[in-house]
Amino acid sequence: MPSSNSGQITTIERHILDQQHHYPDASGALTNLLYDLALCGKIIASKVIQAGLMDVLGKTGLQNVQGEEVQKLDEFADETIFKLNDHTGRLAVMGSEEHDEIIPIPKKYKTGKYVLLYDPLDGSSNIDVNVSVGSIFAIFKRKSPEGTPGTLEDVLQPGRDLVAAGYIIYGSSTMLVYSTGQGVHGFTLNRMLGEFLLSHPNIRTPEKPKYYSVNQAYEPYWSPGVLRYVRYLQTGEGEPEKLGLSLRYIGSLVADFHRNLLNGGLFCYPADRKDPKKPGGKLRLLYEAAPLAFLAEQAGGAATDGRQRILDIAPASLHQRVPLYIGDKKLCEKAEQYIQKYDGAGA
Ligand code: AHG
Ligand code: MN
Ligand code: MN
């Protein structure tokens, strides 16, 4: 049952409504948008837990704009989030990992004041082998005039302007973790009730990190600064005592991030020379790095691309990739120091 010591049961709807009173001029649109995303999470979760039994496993045979194989569950999650949000009148425009361009609100529906960016299913390569996957969402206020079609400019906003962000993780249990800038709160899906119940109020990432997460196979492609930094994570060189970190990396950003958020740690996906087309690493700014950076900072952690705060990066394109170091604040600062010292001022 929920860990809140009062023993009371708080549904996510109740919690979101309570958050609303921090915003006197709130119209309820953001509250309802967050409700809708919680419903998306329930629907996607219902498919993920049956994945082995229904025809949602495997690949569609298609490739997305990223040049990646689209899994059936990617497509299902993408359609679910779009269809639950395209007609509500709360959004001006959407952006998804699975769509080359921004997704307009169909002309027959009213537009609203928010912008939704999402990675419908993160960690897709893990679906068929029953490893946790997730969905990530980021919410901005539109910049273009109300009542007009949303624009690319509405989408290309720095993470510091996020009004809300969160993820749903489909693991041993289904959890929704979100923040509207008033701390980070975790809810666990009670399948009997069909409700997300508050289980992790006010998440703060532990002072002492336990894990570091990186794909060690890419070591031959890292810069000198990244090599020295990962070595530091392993040896704690220069520290009065060993860092004592264990390596945990399961190839699902949401799952690796969630574990490190709760237990303390640092996830990094550095820039590498593996693929000349992706010099900035693999992860995307708008619907992976920035929303998780928002949560990390709200929980007392940090997120950097190795040179600057993730939330300060002004996106130039919808699928822009960035190197990502996220989680423990001191270990993020160390990443910047090593890269500055051994890779120079750099680009
Ligand atoms: P997605 O499934 O949305 O494309 O994201 C996969 C990402 C991220 O979840 C994970 O951290 C990373 O890919 C793993 O990449 P590598 O296999 O290159 O380590
Ligand atoms: Mn992803
Ligand atoms: Mn994805």
Side-chain angles (χ1 to χ4, degrees):
M1 285 310 278
S3 64
S4 47
N5 47 24
S6 64
Q8 74 185 33
I9 292 180
T10 305
T11 64
I12 191 164
E13 286 77 5
R14 162 55 47 211
H15 192 273
I16 293 169
L17 215 46
D18 290 348
Q19 295 275 308
Q20 185 178 307
H21 73 65
H22 291 288
Y23 309 96
D25 64 343
S27 65
L30 179 63
T31 297
N32 289 319
L33 172 52
L34 288 166
Y35 288 172
D36 295 339
L37 290 168
L39 178 57
C40 291
K42 293 178 196 173
I43 294 170
I44 296 166
S46 70
K47 269 286 192 289
V48 169
I49 59 169
Q50 304 166 54
L53 303 171
M54 300 174 63
D55 184 25
V56 286
L57 275 183
K59 303 179 180 7
T60 58
L62 306 170
Q63 282 212 337
N64 64 14
V65 62
Q66 326 282 345
E68 292 159 347
E69 296 267 20
V70 177
Q71 307 281 344
K72 289 177 188 157
L73 221 43
D74 279 323
E75 216 168 45
F76 174 80
D78 184 55
E79 281 168 18
T80 299
I81 296 173
F82 176 70
K83 287 194 180 128
L84 258 77
N85 287 284
D86 67 345
H87 60 284
T88 61
R90 296 192 252 279
L91 297 178
V93 64
M94 290 186 246
S96 164
E97 177 195 62
E98 302 301 335
H99 294 256
D100 309 11
E101 311 295 333
I102 57 173
I103 317 170
I105 297 303
K107 288 199 175 31
K108 59 186 172 184
Y109 301 131
K110 266 179 4 80
T111 57
K113 64 181 177 183
Y114 290 105
V115 175
L116 174 66
L117 286 147
Y118 59 95
D119 176 355
L121 208 80
D122 173 71
S124 311
S125 60
N126 282 314
I127 295 170
D128 293 10
V129 292
N130 207 12
V131 168
S132 301
V133 292
S135 305
I136 309 171
F137 59 88
I139 301 169
F140 290 105
K141 272 210 172 127
R142 76 180 299 172
K143 295 170 74 172
S144 55
E146 298 252 345
T148 63
T151 64
L152 181 59
E153 189 214 3
D154 285 322
V155 165
L156 299 183
Q157 298 188 50
R160 64 172 173 265
D161 293 338
L162 281 165
V163 293
Y167 58 85
I168 299 114
I169 178 167
Y170 313 104
S172 47
S173 64
T174 297
M175 275 190 73
L176 189 151
V177 177
Y178 88 104
S179 176
T180 58
Q182 306 290 327
V184 179
H185 310 284
F187 300 79
T188 301
L189 183 60
N190 177 315
R191 292 188 201 286
M192 271 105 64
L193 301 177
E195 292 280 3
F196 278 108
L197 301 182
L198 183 64
S199 53
H200 298 68
N202 291 307
I203 297 173
R204 300 292 294 171
T205 201
E207 278 295 309
K208 180 148 179 45
K210 274 184 81 173
Y211 302 116
Y212 79 97
S213 309
V214 69
N215 188 332
Q216 206 73 42
Y218 301 152
E219 193 167 318
Y221 309 105
W222 291 337
S223 68
V226 173
L227 280 167
R228 298 290 295 247
Y229 173 65
V230 174
R231 193 96 193 94
Y232 161 79
L233 294 175
Q234 292 162 340
T235 62
E237 67 185 1
E239 296 297 338
E241 55 185 44
K242 278 187 173 304
L243 294 176
L245 301 177
S246 289
L247 172 60
R248 289 280 191 287
Y249 186 84
I250 64 170
S252 273
L253 169 60
V254 170
D256 280 321
F257 175 82
H258 183 72
R259 179 199 55 245
N260 293 354
L261 177 71
L262 296 186
N263 289 350
L266 185 286
F267 171 98
C268 60
Y269 201 111
D272 60 47
R273 296 185 301 276
K274 188 164 48 22
D275 180 343
K277 291 197 300 300
K278 303 173 187 170
K282 174 181 186 181
L283 300 178
R284 282 63 49 126
L285 173 61
L286 276 168
Y287 43 79
E288 288 176 319
L292 296 184
F294 182 79
L295 295 174
E297 290 197 5
Q298 282 289 315
T304 172
D305 68 352
R307 296 194 184 278
Q308 63 180 313
R309 182 179 177 235
I310 289 287
L311 295 186
D312 287 337
I313 301 175
S317 63
L318 179 59
H319 300 292
Q320 177 173 333
R321 297 173 193 274
V322 288
L324 179 62
Y325 302 78
I326 187 168
D328 182 82
K329 193 169 186 161
K330 284 200 276 305
L331 294 180
C332 282
E333 288 160 359
K334 276 287 180 189
E336 291 186 346
Q337 290 162 21
Y338 273 90
I339 289 169
Q340 181 66 38
K341 182 171 179 185
Y342 294 100
D343 293 347

